[in-house]
Amino acid sequence: MHRPICWLASIAIAVSIFGCAKHDSSQTTGTSGETATASAGSHKLRVALLPKIKGISYFSSCFKGAEEAAKELGIDLIYDGPTDGNPRKQAEMIEQWTIDGVDVICVAPNAPDVVASAMQEARAAGVSVITWDADGTAESRSFFVNQASAQAIGEGLVNAMLEDLGPDTEGDVVIISADATSENQNAWIETMKPALAKSKLKLATIKYPGENASNALADSQDVISKYPNLKGIFGISSVSFPGAAEAVEQSGKGGKILVNGLSTPNDMKKFVQNGTVRSFILWHTVDLGYLTIHVAKALAAGELKPGATSLKAGRLGELSIVGDNVMLGDILVFTKANIDQYDF
Amino acid sequence: MNSKSQAGNAFSFSWWHETVIGVLLLVVLLVAGWLVPGFLKPHSQLLLSRHLWEFAILALGMTLVILTGGIDLSVGSTMGLSAVVFGCVQTSTGSLVAASLSCLATGLCCGAVNGGLISQLRLHPLIVTLATFAAYRGIAEGWSQGNSYSRFGTNFSSLARGSWFGVPLPGVIFCVMAIGFAVFLSNTPNGRFLKAIGHNERAAKFSGIAVERIRFWLYATSGLLAGLASLIYVARFDTAKADVGKGFELDVITAVVLGGTSISGGRGNILGTLLGLLLIHETRLFVSRYWRSDELQWIVIGSLLILAVLAYQLIARKPRS
């Protein structure tokens, strides 16, 4: 009696799997689908770009720039990463790409130590490995594409906050970071502390909600109720910043407690328009992806060697290299006046 | 009642399931080998099998637990706690041997607590391990304060990354244990008692089987295996942190159930679990290497599970009287 239903259901599932599979393969021919044709003909450079988290707007905008550079340089670009930001999966993807024989792997490590072994194995197998967005351990990569110096970011954040509040404002500020082990965020916090010490603002606490939007929201609600003299919140990851802004907006203290931090303009437009956020900073993420692919290409072609002091990167022109860090350049400050000029 | 015909049915049932999963595995391998160049190369298969062994070791214990009609949701959290203990002991004593032993001991203790609560207080395994699932992770996170321990040296990481005649060391450990578990299950009285408990606990008790003692050791074993899996995980990534093994429990249960072990107990075997593990592993590798899409993996694996259950139902299910 149940048999016809069972048959129908299994046929439906089989069809949907294949339907879904076909649909997806046609969608991605632009990137990975070309792999087979490329390796059959003349050797086309294959570069794998690994974000910390796949599917959030920050890394999607980096991917946009990477695609642009890949098209310009005739590179076969692979873009994949864990949707949950799990560093174990990052390591496993690096291992797969090593076996697939890609030429360059560009890693934005979530936890440098976890992916280090996989990156070193890739290098031992002859794959060039660079880091971008966040650095790895020194022996696991040859170059790091550095979006902005920690100094510039930390001081940029504090200066933007002081400018919005007025330089003589007294009161508490808090930092909502990512994980306690996030290297980028920790470096920024270290440069923010002396900058804050020079002002009349007091750093009340630092919270570590992880790269998790609901935790960031909860932590922000916590500090809003706990510190009555709170003047500002720094949300220093692209996940914790919107979370903090959301919490301030919900509490009805928008404009009294200012939020700033690092995020993409598209994510923050609504908060800037309703006044919760007056200014925030970021580097040009599209350019970061674009530069990363240029560095990968230069490294594979032998144009970029250890000890180099500058690199010509397409439309970005000549960029400086400090040690083994390729520097993207200045940070951008977004305000109500200029936010509409950017689309990423 | 009618024990002869039931035994006959049970025999044909169990082999049907292995056949269905085996055929599905073969299909996945053939399609992947055809679409992904070099997919079936022994070298790459062996290297990438490293992604599998921790799950595989957990699945051995989970198969036995589910066979008795129980469940162990705490294995992932046990891994996390064992990893933190490993890190603490290693940094304070500097001895990898002491750290490894305390990692295993922690796993055993966690399992024994589960076993004690379940067998002595007669609490439901789902509730007990749901509680310890939260508690063990909480202790691990509170104790380590979000810190991670790393840099244990290349000697230690070769436990997970080294190989023996081309086979990764964890794979060798797993194979030996899998044979041991399979023999235990089919050739020893205690092994057969497990199925009896899952089939009908009351009947098992009345026929003199020490149900509660067996149950205690079962969960203790599951914990010990989680300690071992944790050790391999820590060696593979050279990092011990409280989030080790997060989410593993569901993946392992998926593999065991896909392999034909009945979630209500009484039916299942190690071969089925092995096939279930391999099917999930190869499917994951295929999706990830062909479509380069982390998100698609979950859809495909969910669909496979439903497909396998339906196919099995169609072929092997007898109409109920």
Side-chain angles (χ1 to χ4, degrees), chain A residues 157-207:
Chain A
L157 282 168
V158 174
N159 289 340
M161 180 66 87
L162 285 173
E163 199 155 299
D164 292 343
L165 287 172
D168 289 326
T169 312
E170 285 176 37
D172 292 330
V173 289
V174 297
I175 297 175
I176 313 284
S177 180
D179 282 301
T181 51
S182 306
E183 308 250 324
N184 278 349
Q185 274 74 13
N186 288 345
W188 302 337
I189 291 170
E190 282 316 304
T191 62
M192 288 169 77
K193 279 178 184 164
L196 280 170
K198 281 184 226 154
S199 74
K200 289 178 179 162
L201 296 171
K202 185 172 148 278
L203 178 58
T205 185
I206 303 172
K207 293 272 184 181

Side-chain angles (χ1 to χ4, degrees), chain B residues 278-312:
Chain B
L278 283 175
L279 180 58
I280 290 182
H281 172 69
E282 297 296 344
T283 309
R284 251 191 208 155
L285 280 186
F286 168 55
V287 173
S288 152
R289 289 178 71 185
Y290 185 68
W291 284 294
R292 312 276 182 212
S293 168
D294 187 45
E295 52 273 33
L296 194 59
Q297 284 186 23
W298 304 104
I299 304 173
V300 173
I301 284 169
S303 313
L304 257 183
L305 187 61
I306 297 177
L307 194 67
V309 172
L310 281 179
Y312 169 69

Side-chain angles (χ1 to χ4, degrees), chain A residues 55-59 61 237-239 241-243 245-246 262-272 277 280 282 339 342-344:
Chain A
I56 65 171
S57 62
Y58 174 86
F59 283 106
S61 64
S237 93
S238 61
V239 177
F241 185 23
E246 191 79 51
L262 299 111
S263 183
T264 55
N266 284 349
D267 273 358
M268 301 313 290
K269 243 166 218 166
K270 82 169 203 224
F271 294 113
V272 170
V277 173
F280 63 99
L282 197 69
I339 195 166
Y342 300 96
D343 181 26
F344 63 88

Side-chain angles (χ1 to χ4, degrees), chain A residues 2-3 6-7 9-11 13-14 16-17 20-22 24-25 28 32-33 35-36 39 46 54 78-84 86-89 91-93 95-97 99-100 102 113-115 117-118 121 137 139 179-181, chain B residues 36-37 43-44 47-48 50-51 54-55 145-148 150-151 157 161 233 236-239 241 243 246 248 251 284-285 288-296 298-300 303-304 306-307 310-311 313-319:
Chain A
H2 289 285
R3 291 212 161 194
C6 283
W7 276 114
S10 34
I11 291 168
I13 288 177
S16 68
I17 290 181
C20 158
K22 252 192 194 147
D24 255 80
S25 73
T28 50
S32 59
T35 312
S39 57
R46 290 173 74 200
K54 191 184 184 189
I78 298 166
Y79 177 75
D80 195 15
T83 43
D84 54 359
N86 188 337
R88 170 175 66 89
K89 286 196 197 148
E92 293 182 350
M93 283 176 188
E95 288 173 359
Q96 286 178 18
W97 290 332
I99 281 181
D100 287 343
V102 302
D113 284 323
V114 176
V115 288
S117 311
E121 274 187 8
T137 59
E139 63 274 21
D179 282 301
T181 51
Chain B
V36 180
H43 171 70
S44 63
L47 260 180
L48 293 178
R50 287 197 300 220
H51 305 178
E54 294 112 34
F55 291 106
Q145 291 291 314
N147 287 328
S148 65
S150 56
R151 317 267 162 111
S157 66
R161 293 182 174 269
Y233 187 103
R236 182 150 73 103
F237 297 112
D238 200 17
T239 303
K241 206 184 163 200
D243 69 356
K246 210 164 209 170
F248 276 32
D251 284 5
R284 251 191 208 155
L285 280 186
S288 152
R289 289 178 71 185
Y290 185 68
W291 284 294
R292 312 276 182 212
S293 168
D294 187 45
E295 52 273 33
L296 194 59
W298 304 104
I299 304 173
V300 173
S303 313
L304 257 183
I306 297 177
L307 194 67
L310 281 179
Q313 291 270 318
L314 282 178
I315 296 167
R317 203 181 67 167
K318 300 275 185 291

